[in-house]
């Protein structure tokens, strides 16, 4: 079997996936119709043509506008189940999904509508597709710390369904330190923590996320290579980076996939994982991220094996579950050695 065939068959865990970023143009149009909303686009093709981004903000403007078609519990359910169904095709066995409640509560949708829809779909996916899951609530960092705290409070009744809190949206100018108190409260309530850092923002944001927010993983983190002391720390502590190669090219963090620093991150001994971020907007789900990155960087079987194992190691699964998945990764790799 060739490497690309191996990649298709490997059991995968997806750790960096914004559920609102899986809204495909077809579903966007269907939901707009179902909810009697006018879209600023006349066709699927027009929607896809609008997806030309120059940086993170130019994407976020379109992404938040698209999310406005999500209104009812059924809409959130259908969005989430469609993603799981697509993920199953890539042999994804475990997902840790971000959701952005403030994107919805900010336009009058209730928190419980959002979480009920998403979590029922996750239960359906576990049952029908055998995909396990964790849910991660992300705070929008361009909004205030007080608004994040209020969001955390509205999530407390659903604490059992939410494994962790994270931080996303416009990075530069909104350092992790802004959310220190919110994350302290979240940890006291029993949530694990993660944060987007070092995507467009400087390596010092990664340091802040570790020191002030006590995160278990860094989402993106690709700019860590600018700080050798930080790289040594990330390697020593095996802090996972949830890297999203196609996202990084679409948002111009790197000009081309060939210029992506994923191989350097691996060579530095970091716990790197491959993820899809917002696949409906960035042109590829997790399988495509693996396949295209392997080709662009000429990754070998050992590197692919490491990336696949890292995803389970870096997940919030229990040790026995991690070991079970890693064994099945090892078995598939052994078939081509
Ligand atoms: N970065 C920050 N915020 C986001 C992203 C991202 O890649 N995707 C969705 N929200
Ligand atoms: Zn992201």
């Amino acid at each position: 079997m060739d490497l690309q065939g191996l990649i298709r068959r490997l059991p995968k865990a997806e750790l960096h996936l914004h559920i609102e970023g899986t809204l495909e143009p077809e579903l966007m149009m269907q939901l707009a119709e179902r909810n009697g909303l006018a879209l600023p686009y006349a066709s699927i093709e027009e929607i896809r043509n609008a997806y030309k981004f120059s940086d993170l903000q130019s994407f976020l403007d379109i992404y938040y506008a698209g999310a406005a078609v999500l209104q009812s519990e059924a809409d959130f359910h259908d969005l989430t189940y469609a993603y799981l169904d697509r993920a199953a095709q890539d042999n994804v066995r475990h997902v840790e999904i971000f959701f952005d409640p403030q994107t919805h509560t900010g336009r009058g949708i209730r928190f419980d509508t959002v979480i009920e829809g998403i979590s029922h779909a996750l239960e359906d996916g576990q049952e029908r597709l055998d995909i396990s899951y964790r849910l991660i609530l992300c705070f929008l960092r361009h909004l205030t710390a007080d608004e994040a705290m209020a969001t955390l409070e509205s999530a407390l009744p659903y604490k059992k369904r939410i494994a962790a809190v994270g931080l996303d949206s416009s990075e530069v100018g909104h350092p992790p330190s802004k959310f220190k108190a919110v994350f302290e409260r979240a940890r006291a309530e029993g949530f694990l923590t993660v944060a987007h850092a070092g995507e467009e923002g400087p390596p010092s944001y990664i340091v802040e996320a570790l020191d002030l927010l006590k995160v278990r993983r860094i989402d993106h983190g690709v700019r860590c290579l600018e700080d050798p002391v930080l790289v040594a720390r990330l390697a020593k502590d095996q802090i996972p980076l949830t890297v999203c190669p196609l996202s990084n090219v679409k948002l111009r963090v790197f000009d081309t996939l060939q210029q992506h620093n994923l191989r350097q991150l691996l060579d530095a001994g970091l716990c790197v994982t491959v993820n899809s971020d917002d696949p409906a907007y960035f042109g590829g789900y997790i399988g495509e991220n693996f396949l295209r990155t392997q080709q662009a960087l000429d990754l070998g079987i050992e590197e692919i094996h490491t990336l696949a194992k890292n995803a389970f190691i870096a997940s919030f699964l229990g040790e026995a579950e991690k070991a079970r998945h890693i064994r099945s990764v090892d078995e598939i790799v052994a078939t081509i050695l």
Side-chain angles (χ1 to χ4, degrees):
M1 198 195 331
D2 60 325
L3 212 39
Q4 299 260 307
L6 171 78
I7 288 171
R8 289 195 183 87
R9 286 182 57 205
L10 278 172
K12 298 174 188 73
E14 168 113 83
L15 307 180
H16 186 153
L17 183 282
H18 302 263
I19 198 63
E20 294 88 351
T22 68
L23 180 61
E24 290 287 348
E26 290 77 3
L27 186 58
M28 192 188 290
M29 289 199 94
Q30 271 175 34
L31 295 184
E33 201 170 316
R34 189 200 260 179
N35 294 320
L37 301 166
L39 280 179
Y41 313 103
S43 65
I44 305 277
E45 200 187 354
E46 222 175 272
I47 302 179
R48 288 203 197 279
N49 284 338
Y51 295 173
K52 296 197 174 70
F53 313 117
S54 51
D55 56 12
L56 175 58
Q57 193 60 50
S58 64
F59 155 68
L60 291 171
D61 293 343
I62 286 189
Y63 162 83
Y64 294 131
V69 302
L70 297 161
Q71 305 220 323
S72 67
E73 189 179 317
D75 297 343
F76 287 95
H77 178 282
D78 293 353
L79 172 75
T80 307
Y81 198 81
Y83 161 66
L84 294 169
D85 207 34
R86 178 64 187 75
Q89 292 173 33
D90 282 343
N91 208 14
V92 171
R93 313 291 343 132
H94 177 69
V95 295
E96 302 195 352
I97 289 183
F98 297 128
F99 74 116
D100 286 344
Q102 289 160 292
T103 299
H104 314 298
T105 55
R107 50 190 181 81
I109 308 295
R110 293 166 51 99
F111 187 95
D112 60 320
T113 300
V114 179
I115 193 149
E116 294 289 355
I118 295 173
S119 54
H120 288 149
L122 289 168
E123 286 165 22
D124 290 347
Q126 167 88 69
E127 205 169 295
R128 295 184 209 153
L129 304 166
D130 193 26
I131 298 178
S132 56
Y133 62 87
R134 297 286 187 275
L135 197 49
I136 305 175
L137 182 162
C138 271
F139 302 112
L140 299 182
R141 69 203 301 162
H142 69 277
L143 301 178
T144 66
D146 284 348
E147 287 167 300
M149 192 68 96
T151 302
L152 176 62
E153 275 161 13
S154 58
L156 292 179
Y158 302 95
K159 209 157 101 169
K160 285 206 175 78
R161 301 196 210 174
I162 303 170
V165 299
L167 201 55
D168 66 3
S169 190
S170 322
E171 185 181 3
V172 174
H174 302 286
S177 52
K178 177 174 162 186
F179 297 94
K180 184 171 182 281
V182 180
F183 274 59
E184 250 161 35
R185 174 83 195 279
R187 289 196 314 281
E189 295 285 353
F191 296 100
L192 300 172
T193 62
V194 298
H196 283 54
E199 178 187 17
E200 286 190 345
S204 63
Y205 283 20
I206 301 176
V207 176
E208 280 191 14
L210 294 169
D211 289 342
L212 305 180
L213 308 186
K214 315 280 184 205
V215 296
R216 300 290 194 95
R217 301 194 291 249
I218 296 288
D219 296 311
H220 293 297
V222 292
R223 285 194 60 191
C224 71
L225 288 187
E226 296 166 34
D227 178 350
V229 173
L230 172 61
V231 173
R233 175 182 182 184
L234 294 170
K236 177 174 166 287
D237 296 340
Q238 285 295 289
I239 304 292
L241 303 185
T242 62
V243 176
C244 307
L246 294 179
S247 162
N248 290 156
V249 175
K250 278 282 184 188
L251 302 189
R252 311 301 305 271
V253 175
F254 299 97
D255 285 336
T256 66
L257 202 49
Q258 286 74 16
Q259 286 165 293
H260 198 285
N261 68 6
L262 181 137
R263 181 190 281 283
Q264 286 94 300
L265 297 170
L266 279 173
D267 288 347
L270 304 184
C271 182
V272 180
T273 67
V274 169
N275 307 273
S276 68
D277 210 4
D278 302 283
Y281 292 90
F282 299 151
Y285 286 77
I286 191 169
E288 199 71 13
N289 271 272
F290 262 98
L291 291 166
R292 290 182 49 194
T293 305
Q294 186 277 322
Q295 274 182 326
L297 303 180
D298 195 26
L299 299 177
I301 182 160
E302 244 178 75
E303 286 153 329
I304 296 298
H305 190 182
T306 299
L307 289 167
K309 281 194 292 192
N310 282 351
F312 291 106
I313 293 168
S315 74
F316 294 140
L317 285 167
E319 291 307 317
E321 283 296 285
K322 288 186 188 187
R324 182 172 69 82
H325 286 295
I326 290 166
R327 268 198 309 278
S328 76
V329 169
D330 291 345
E331 278 166 21
I332 301 270
V333 172
T335 63
I336 74 158
L337 287 177

